[in-house]
């Protein structure tokens, strides 16, 4: 019992730091980061930040809650072992991705083009008026975008989804909804979401949630304020290798944690020896 109380503060601090660092290395230069950066060049920054961060906030809470439920279904040792395996897989994947990336900011520019195409496709589907990216970079003024309801949906589900989107666009504004939806869809199933679930399963869910939210707020704020500049200066190759090293360390940490005896094991050993 004394050993458990001594380790609790350190574990709590590690939960917050690990969640925060995981978000930083995963999201810096990610497609959702670039989407927020491009939208902020074409629309009011505060609105873009509110939409993107609101989406990430909900995603963080949902992911952490899911991770919090896992230890109730399987033993904590297995959740820690699963977290170790996930982080080792992520680290290997990031090493492979980093090795295939060109040096400098060429990869980031390519990601920026893909994000731009995704935004233009979403704007064409929703008929949201927006200034072209080239004009936004030149500092030209643009009118406040307006959303229009178009009879494109065919099935009941599509019509319902379009109705909800149009309602939210009317209440919150089309730019907010666009930033929210593009970010949410981009993050769903992303590496950072899965890592958040793994961290919440192994640590205090509130600290993990707080760490991921703070990390997302920092990345989103940086994206809307100076995302284009950061994308042109940061080497995606170096960021990816740095993330791989961090995830590798996480993997060893959770593999070690899974190998340690739990309080139940200690009690059973004590009762067996008695």
């Amino acid at each position: 019992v004394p050993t458990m109380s001594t380790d609790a503060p350190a574990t709590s601090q590690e939960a917050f730091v690990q969640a925060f660092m995981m978000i930083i290395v995963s999201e810096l230069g990610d497609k959702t980061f670039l989407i927020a950066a491009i939208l902020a060049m074409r629309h009011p920054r505060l609105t873009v930040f509110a939409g993107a961060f609101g989406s990430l906030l909900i995603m963080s809470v949902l992911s952490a809650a899911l991770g919090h439920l896992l230890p109730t279904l399987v033993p904590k040792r297995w959740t820690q072992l699963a977290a170790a395996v996930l982080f080792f897989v992520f680290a290997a994947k990031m090493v492979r991705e980093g090795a295939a990336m060109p040096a400098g900011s060429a990869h980031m520019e390519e990601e920026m083009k893909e994000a731009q195409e995704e935004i233009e496709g979403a704007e064409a589907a929703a008929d949201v008026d927006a200034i072209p990216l080239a004009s936004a970079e030149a500092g030209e003024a643009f009118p406040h975008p307006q959303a229009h309801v178009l009879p494109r949906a065919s099935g009941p589900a599509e019509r319902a989804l379009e109705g909800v989107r149009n309602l939210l666009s009317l209440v919150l504004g089309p730019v907010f909804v666009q930033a929210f939806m593009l970010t949410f869809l981009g993050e769903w199933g992303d590496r950072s979401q899965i890592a958040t679930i793994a961290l919440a399963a192994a640590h205090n869910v509130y600290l993990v949630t707080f760490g991921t939210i703070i990390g997302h707020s920092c990345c989103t704020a940086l994206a809307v304020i100076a995302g284009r500049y950061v994308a042109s200066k940061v080497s995606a190759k170096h960021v990816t290798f740095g993330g791989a090293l961090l995830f590798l360390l996480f993997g060893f940490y959770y593999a070690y944690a899974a190998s340690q005896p739990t309080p139940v094991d200690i009690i059973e050993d004590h009762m067996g020896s008695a």
Side-chain angles (χ1 to χ4, degrees):
V1 176
T3 303
M4 291 173 61
S5 61
T6 303
D7 291 342
T11 302
S12 300
Q13 185 178 9
E14 289 168 0
F16 174 82
V17 173
Q18 288 181 13
F20 178 81
M21 291 302 299
M22 180 271 297
I23 293 298
I24 295 298
V25 300
S26 299
E27 296 301 316
L28 187 62
D30 190 58
K31 182 172 289 187
T32 52
F33 177 93
L34 299 176
I35 287 175
I38 294 173
L39 287 175
M41 296 173 63
R42 308 169 58 158
H43 304 295
R45 291 178 177 177
L46 186 59
T47 305
V48 173
F49 175 83
F53 178 64
S55 175
L56 294 170
L57 176 65
I58 294 175
M59 183 71 72
S60 297
V61 173
L62 291 176
S63 301
L66 180 59
H68 182 59
L69 292 176
L70 288 180
T72 64
L73 304 176
V74 294
K76 187 172 183 178
R77 174 175 291 176
W78 290 105
T79 61
Q80 291 175 330
L81 184 60
V85 172
L86 280 174
F87 283 121
F88 282 137
V89 171
F90 288 156
K93 188 172 184 293
M94 293 178 79
V95 168
R96 187 173 69 251
E97 292 174 354
M101 290 179 183
S105 59
H107 179 78
M108 202 73 77
E109 290 295 331
E110 184 64 27
E111 287 287 322
M112 182 76 78
K113 292 179 181 178
E114 293 181 6
Q116 171 65 19
E117 292 174 358
E118 188 171 334
I119 291 173
E120 290 176 349
E123 288 175 345
D127 195 26
V128 175
D129 298 329
I131 188 170
L133 181 60
S135 301
E137 291 175 344
E140 296 181 10
F142 52 86
H144 191 278
Q146 301 293 328
H148 305 282
V149 181
L150 296 179
R152 289 195 182 91
S154 54
E158 288 80 1
R159 286 197 297 269
L161 181 60
E162 185 174 357
V164 171
R165 186 190 64 194
N166 290 329
L167 177 62
L168 293 176
S169 296
L170 179 64
V171 176
L172 301 173
V175 176
F176 179 95
V177 173
Q178 184 185 21
F180 184 96
M181 293 302 298
L182 286 174
T183 303
F184 192 87
L185 294 175
E187 282 298 307
W188 188 261
D190 190 63
R191 182 164 44 216
S192 60
Q193 184 197 19
I194 300 174
T196 300
I197 295 173
L199 288 175
H203 288 297
N204 184 297
V205 63
Y206 300 106
L207 290 170
V208 171
T209 304
F210 185 56
T212 55
I213 289 174
I214 296 299
H216 279 307
S217 66
C218 293
C219 286
T220 307
L222 182 62
V224 300
I225 293 173
R228 180 73 181 188
Y229 177 81
V230 172
S232 65
K233 298 298 181 182
V234 172
S235 171
K237 191 182 190 75
H238 293 160
V239 173
T240 303
F241 279 137
L245 177 60
L246 183 66
F247 277 35
L248 184 63
L249 294 176
F250 284 178
F252 283 120
Y253 174 87
Y254 288 108
Y256 173 77
S259 67
Q260 298 304 299
T262 64
V264 175
D265 295 332
I266 296 175
I267 293 174
E268 290 178 350
D269 290 344
H270 179 71
M271 294 178 62
S273 61

